[in-house]
Amino acid sequence: MNTMRITQCLFQDGTFHTLKEEGESYRYMGVTDGKISYLGDLKPHGYEKEISLEGGHIYPSMTDGHLHLMYTMVLGADSITVCHIQNGRISPDNLDAAGKLIREECRKRTGQNILVANQYIASAMAEKRLPNRQELDDWADGKKIVVYNIDGHSSSMSTALLKELHIYKEGHTGILTGIDHENIQGPVMELIGKSVTPAAWARGVGSFTNLCIKYGIGTVCAMDGNGDEKRDKQTELLAKIASHMEIGVRLYPQFMDLNKARSYRRYQKTPRVGGCGQWEMDGSVGSRSAAFYSPYKDSNKCSDCYYKAEEITEKLIEADAAGFQISSHAIGEKAIDILLDGYDRFCPRRMHRIDHFEFPSKEAVKRVMDKNLALVVQPGFAWMDQYYLKSYKQALTDSVIRQQIPLRTLMENGICICGSSDAPVQSINPFIQMLGMIDYTIPEESLNMYQALCTYTRNPAKMLGEEKELGTLEVGKRANFMVSDRDLLKLNKDNITQAEMKSLYLDGKKCKEKKGTILELARMMAGRKHKI
């Protein structure tokens, strides 16, 4: 005999925006055992508990389509943040000022084996470069330190760290970009991971969960792992922890070796692979490693793709045949074309992804409309670059800048556009990305607020194959929703970045803010596991 108790709650005193259609809303929402059982304007009977949402506006919870969970959750808690935007300008904006900040922060971190500095903006510096190893040796007093450029595709390392990684050579500047930078990230992460304590994990899980609650994010797509290590212990640990987290995680192991990726199948909801790491076709504009057919304006040099066309086609076919959903990083037109050429050569079994798709040619835009591909984008970076970073203006011609992804055209032609932060490259705040969408660098390709919200709700649910569970408020779907004190559909470019959520509910239960203690982490790990 089944004696399990059925829980029923009626949520009221709010406006429930379904996002199924623009403008569709209701006054009441019933939830039974974590799923939506009623939506309507007439108050239903039979619900044992009534919960007032105090005049709030309710929307489906959001999904961040692309972030790096290990970096964001754990390393972000203990790393040095170099640059900030203050009063309309970037600070620090020169090497002396950056060095002073890093030197002071290094002195505070006496017990760390390796120091990590993020959010350094090379294009904003008067010198237009990363610090060299001699400068880092001075700033960090000879310690092991790595400084990452804001786009995550170039870095600089101190002499001690270069020697630890066995890549030091006489005359080495310590600055790494392109494939040299990408190929060393596995060993760097392993080295960093050795110094991550249980207390750091606890702080990271707590702070990350609280950020998700603050911004209404119920699910994240985690691009993690580095295939250049024989055994990626940190990603294994991350998968175990993520399978107990309150926030839903969808893991994409960044391994080209599918046998290595298969070892994560026991954790995954469905088989997924890729993201960045070994699935990068190119780098980034800020690090001058995105692959274009024409040379960069400020160096007159071209950057090539990391793979030959035959290599990537073979790997796409192999991963698709093995049942994986594939995520591939491609920013420049040449990298995008290599991916599209690969998808031309077979009939994919499911929807795959191109992440960034930032500078497609006109022909590539036409080609993608004939394919079952999701495009996972970060227009907030282009917005920030236009107003603050200026790296595109420094590196690209005006015609290439105008070549940025045509958001509205693709959305209106039914392409699945998904928003994402690429955290820790950018803040996890989804409204920064939506600002970039509604105030887009190509004005006629801007989205309206309904379309922008769909890139974080309806579209990622479709991309993940979970549209029957998530993405809209509909009877039968999971009661994953966020509550705002303002109508998000009426936000504009002047107030959108001020938006925060009053609360986040997952499966009908309100998420509580975390303290980030080891005891809290231990209790979480002792709880029920779920697929990621």
Side-chain angles (χ1 to χ4, degrees):
M1 182 178 177
N2 187 356
T3 59
M4 289 184 65
R5 186 174 181 274
I6 297 174
T7 58
Q8 294 181 314
C9 295
L10 180 67
F11 292 90
Q12 57 189 9
D13 302 326
T15 304
F16 297 86
H17 303 268
T18 69
L19 297 190
K20 181 182 177 184
E21 295 178 9
E22 188 170 4
E24 183 178 79
S25 64
Y26 296 100
R27 294 177 59 200
Y28 297 94
M29 184 172 74
V31 174
T32 302
D33 282 352
K35 291 191 175 182
I36 299 170
S37 52
Y38 176 81
L39 280 163
D41 290 327
L42 296 176
K43 185 175 181 178
H45 299 290
Y47 286 88
E48 60 185 353
K49 186 177 181 181
E50 296 182 356
I51 298 175
S52 173
L53 295 178
E54 301 174 341
H57 290 266
I58 299 90
Y59 301 85
S61 66
M62 291 192 272
T63 295
D64 188 317
H66 178 127
L67 56 72
H68 302 282
L69 189 57
M70 176 73 176
Y71 279 99
T72 305
M73 190 166 67
V74 179
L75 302 185
D78 289 324
S79 65
I80 300 166
T81 300
V82 181
C83 292
H84 302 268
I85 297 174
Q86 297 174 329
N87 301 320
R89 60 183 294 272
I90 294 171
S91 178
D93 60 3
N94 61 78
L95 281 168
D96 283 345
K100 181 179 179 181
L101 183 149
I102 291 173
R103 182 181 283 111
E104 290 173 355
E105 291 296 324
C106 288
R107 287 172 180 165
K108 298 176 187 176
R109 292 165 166 78
T110 55
Q112 290 182 226
N113 179 46
I114 177 173
L115 300 161
V116 180
N118 289 314
Q119 300 292 312
Y120 181 96
I121 305 177
S123 63
M125 296 293 158
E127 298 83 357
K128 306 299 180 195
R129 66 171 174 85
L130 284 156
N132 59 40
R133 67 176 175 86
Q134 290 92 345
E135 289 162 333
L136 289 181
D137 291 346
D138 177 38
W139 299 349
D141 196 24
K143 296 175 184 174
K144 288 174 279 190
I145 183 172
V146 56
V147 176
Y148 285 103
N149 195 24
I150 187 171
D151 56 29
H153 291 277
S154 57
S155 58
S156 59
M157 300 180 184
S158 64
T159 304
L161 182 55
L162 291 170
K163 289 181 177 179
E164 178 80 15
L165 296 169
H166 306 292
I167 59 172
Y168 174 76
K169 293 180 181 178
E170 195 66 35
H172 199 306
T173 64
I175 298 173
L176 299 165
T177 189
I179 199 69
D180 292 333
H181 164 84
E182 311 297 353
N183 282 346
I184 201 63
Q185 292 313 298
V188 173
M189 281 301 299
E190 280 295 303
L191 190 60
I192 294 171
K194 291 176 182 177
S195 64
V196 178
T197 64
W201 276 106
R203 288 195 303 274
V205 172
S207 62
F208 180 79
T209 302
N210 292 343
L211 279 174
C212 288
I213 293 171
K214 179 178 181 179
Y215 295 120
I217 298 169
T219 308
V220 299
C221 296
M223 314 289 161
D224 283 274
N226 290 280
D228 43 1
E229 281 293 291
K230 186 174 182 180
R231 182 181 174 188
D232 193 338
K233 296 178 183 178
Q234 297 310 311
T235 305
E236 289 178 11
L237 179 57
L238 178 70
K240 291 177 183 177
I241 291 173
S243 67
H244 289 272
M245 286 174 58
E246 188 173 17
I247 302 301
V249 176
R250 302 292 177 265
L251 178 65
Y252 289 76
Q254 299 178 141
F255 310 133
M256 276 283 188
D257 182 346
L258 295 187
N259 286 328
K260 193 171 183 180
R262 283 189 185 95
S263 68
Y264 290 85
R265 283 291 295 112
R266 66 186 185 275
Y267 298 108
Q268 290 177 298
K269 190 176 178 71
T270 59
R272 298 187 172 95
V273 70
C276 299
Q278 290 191 323
W279 282 91
E280 288 175 348
M281 304 299 107
D282 63 349
S284 69
V285 173
S287 294
R288 307 302 188 265
S289 52
F292 292 93
Y293 293 111
S294 55
Y296 283 100
K297 188 171 70 173
D298 55 353
S299 68
N300 204 34
K301 294 180 180 179
C302 283
S303 288
D304 208 351
C305 298
Y306 295 158
Y307 297 99
K308 302 293 184 185
E310 298 76 17
E311 291 177 296
I312 196 58
T313 298
E314 180 181 344
K315 190 55 66 172
L316 290 173
I317 293 171
E318 180 189 0
D320 178 81
F324 289 95
Q325 183 192 41
I326 309 163
S327 168
S328 306
H329 164 122
I331 285 179
E333 60 194 356
K334 191 172 184 180
I336 290 168
D337 284 349
I338 276 190
L339 272 176
L340 292 177
D341 287 346
Y343 283 117
D344 278 343
R345 291 181 169 84
F346 70 105
C347 185
R349 298 183 178 189
R350 61 167 299 167
M351 178 182 280
H352 297 300
R353 312 166 34 144
I354 300 180
D355 289 46
H356 310 303
F357 198 78
E358 196 168 1
F359 293 93
S361 65
K362 289 183 179 179
E363 182 61 29
V365 172
K366 293 177 183 176
R367 292 171 70 190
V368 82
M369 290 184 188
D370 294 327
K371 292 177 168 48
N372 186 28
L373 289 166
L375 305 178
V376 185
V377 301
Q378 298 95 28
F381 190 90
W383 188 93
M384 188 181 297
D385 190 88
Q386 180 182 20
Y387 289 102
Y388 298 107
L389 310 185
K390 311 294 185 181
S391 67
Y392 292 177
K393 277 284 187 184
Q394 293 170 22
L396 305 174
T397 63
D398 289 343
S399 61
V400 173
I401 292 173
R402 287 282 302 175
Q403 202 173 292
Q404 289 180 72
I405 176 174
L407 293 175
R408 179 179 285 273
T409 296
L410 289 167
M411 281 279 282
E412 292 181 350
N413 279 274
I415 302 303
C416 185
I417 305 288
C418 302
S420 61
S421 65
D422 203 12
V425 173
Q426 298 169 84
S427 164
I428 196 175
N429 181 354
F431 296 103
I432 292 175
Q433 301 305 321
M434 285 188 246
L435 170 61
M437 295 174 192
I438 67 172
D439 187 27
Y440 193 43
T441 53
I442 305 172
E444 64 271 22
E445 290 293 344
S446 294
L447 303 183
N448 62 36
M449 268 309 302
Y450 173 71
Q451 291 171 320
L453 281 168
C454 284
T455 71
Y456 268 90
T457 52
R458 292 183 59 172
N459 293 3
K462 179 181 179 182
M463 178 268 293
L464 290 167
E466 298 180 27
E467 62 266 50
K468 292 183 179 180
E469 299 180 51
L470 299 171
T472 57
L473 300 182
E474 294 183 65
V475 171
K477 292 192 175 184
R478 293 172 62 187
N480 286 14
F481 59 92
M482 55 186 182
V483 184
S484 172
D485 61 1
R486 62 178 73 188
D487 185 348
L488 302 182
L489 291 166
K490 294 181 180 178
L491 294 175
N492 57 52
K493 66 180 183 179
D494 296 321
N495 61 16
I496 189 171
T497 56
Q498 299 164 18
E500 294 180 4
M501 297 302 109
K502 292 172 64 178
S503 52
L504 173 68
Y505 286 78
L506 299 179
D507 296 319
K509 296 179 180 178
K510 186 176 181 179
C511 297
K512 296 180 180 179
E513 286 202 355
K514 304 297 180 284
K515 297 178 180 178
T517 64
I518 292 179
L519 178 59
E520 188 177 65
L521 178 65
R523 286 173 176 167
M524 184 192 82
M525 295 302 295
R528 183 168 169 256
K529 289 197 299 184
H530 49 261
K531 295 290 185 178
I532 61 176

